[in-house]
Amino acid sequence: MRIEGPRVIIRQMKIEDSENFYAYRSDPQVCKYQNFMVKTKAESDQFIEKQKELPLGVPGQWLQIAIEHKLEEKLIGDCAILFKEDEPRIVEIGYTVHPDYQRQGYATEAVRMLMKTVFKDHNVHKILAKVDVRNPSSARVLEKIGFKQEGRFCQHFYDHQDKAWIDEIQFAYMKEDFMEEIF
């Protein structure tokens, strides 16, 4: 997979991404609102080695997709996607961007590109995203694209760093609302 947008390319991960991947995926502030973090460069290498060959659309299997800055030709973030095992027409997504590239629309562009791909090329009915209530920036990305809030999961996961139960908000985008011309 390789899809070019105005400013980013979304594509399979490659081992050359490991240094940049490790730089933001080992940062506790970046990963504060997520349940995935790498602790060592070797762990980053191993993760990418497993991900680089995985196909898009395998039910029950998370896939990390690289967000490459088109002009700088380097990894600046990633999107994660999971086709639900029990209902692969429903997918869940997530996204992470290096702090130097946050609040510049890169996540929005990458998520739109990914949405267009799954709605056009896969039999997807609905795309979900869950957001930690303490992360309003992530919620804004989804709202800007047109995701709607579906619900709030109260005390849905335990944050070991903050030693507290945290709520999550679920957003969704339905295929019937997808208009290719605005993507």
Side-chain angles (χ1 to χ4, degrees):
M1 170 188 11
R2 180 181 169 86
I3 304 162
E4 290 195 34
R7 301 179 309 145
V8 300
I9 297 167
I10 60 171
R11 57 167 172 75
Q12 293 290 125
M13 300 287 277
K14 53 188 180 183
I15 199 64
E16 295 82 13
D17 294 326
S18 187
E19 193 69 41
N20 291 333
F21 184 76
Y22 177 68
Y24 67 87
R25 278 292 187 173
S26 64
D27 182 336
Q29 285 306 109
V30 171
C31 298
K32 179 172 179 55
Y33 305 121
Q34 301 180 1
N35 62 0
F36 175 65
M37 181 176 180
V38 294
K39 295 175 179 64
T40 66
K41 173 71 167 57
E43 192 177 319
S44 175
D45 292 346
Q46 290 169 355
F47 181 80
I48 289 175
E49 197 62 46
K50 289 178 187 173
Q51 289 288 310
K52 70 180 188 175
E53 301 296 329
L54 295 178
L56 177 65
V58 177
Q61 177 179 276
W62 279 102
L63 174 65
Q64 296 303 121
I65 299 167
I67 302 173
E68 178 182 316
H69 191 283
K70 200 170 177 178
L71 293 177
E72 296 179 20
E73 298 181 342
K74 73 175 194 178
L75 181 80
I76 61 167
D78 59 83
C79 290
I81 186 165
L82 171 71
F83 286 69
K84 299 286 186 172
E85 190 164 21
D86 59 337
E87 178 47 88
R89 293 172 294 183
I90 297 177
V91 301
E92 184 175 343
I93 62 164
Y95 41 88
T96 306
V97 175
H98 187 288
D100 293 347
Y101 297 90
Q102 292 177 359
R103 293 183 171 81
Q104 298 175 52
Y106 294 114
T108 302
E109 183 177 334
V111 170
R112 280 186 171 139
M113 291 164 56
L114 184 57
M115 289 173 65
K116 184 175 181 178
T117 297
V118 298
F119 279 137
K120 285 182 65 181
D121 300 340
H122 299 270
N123 185 24
V124 170
H125 167 69
K126 179 181 190 177
I127 300 173
L128 304 175
K130 293 179 187 154
V131 176
D132 184 314
V133 294
R134 303 169 296 174
N135 190 0
S137 296
S138 185
R140 279 194 297 278
V141 167
L142 297 169
E143 290 166 346
K144 191 180 344 177
I145 294 169
F147 278 76
K148 304 288 186 242
Q149 183 175 330
E150 281 195 325
R152 183 179 183 121
F153 297 98
C154 296
Q155 298 184 17
H156 198 241
F157 69 94
Y158 188 76
D159 183 326
H160 292 281
Q161 187 176 357
D162 288 350
K163 296 181 178 25
W165 286 97
I166 306 300
D167 291 3
E168 278 187 313
I169 300 170
Q170 180 168 295
F171 289 86
Y173 196 105
M174 307 295 282
K175 184 172 186 169
E176 61 203 39
D177 297 327
F178 176 71
M179 294 184 292
E180 186 176 342
E181 63 273 5
I182 64 170
F183 279 76

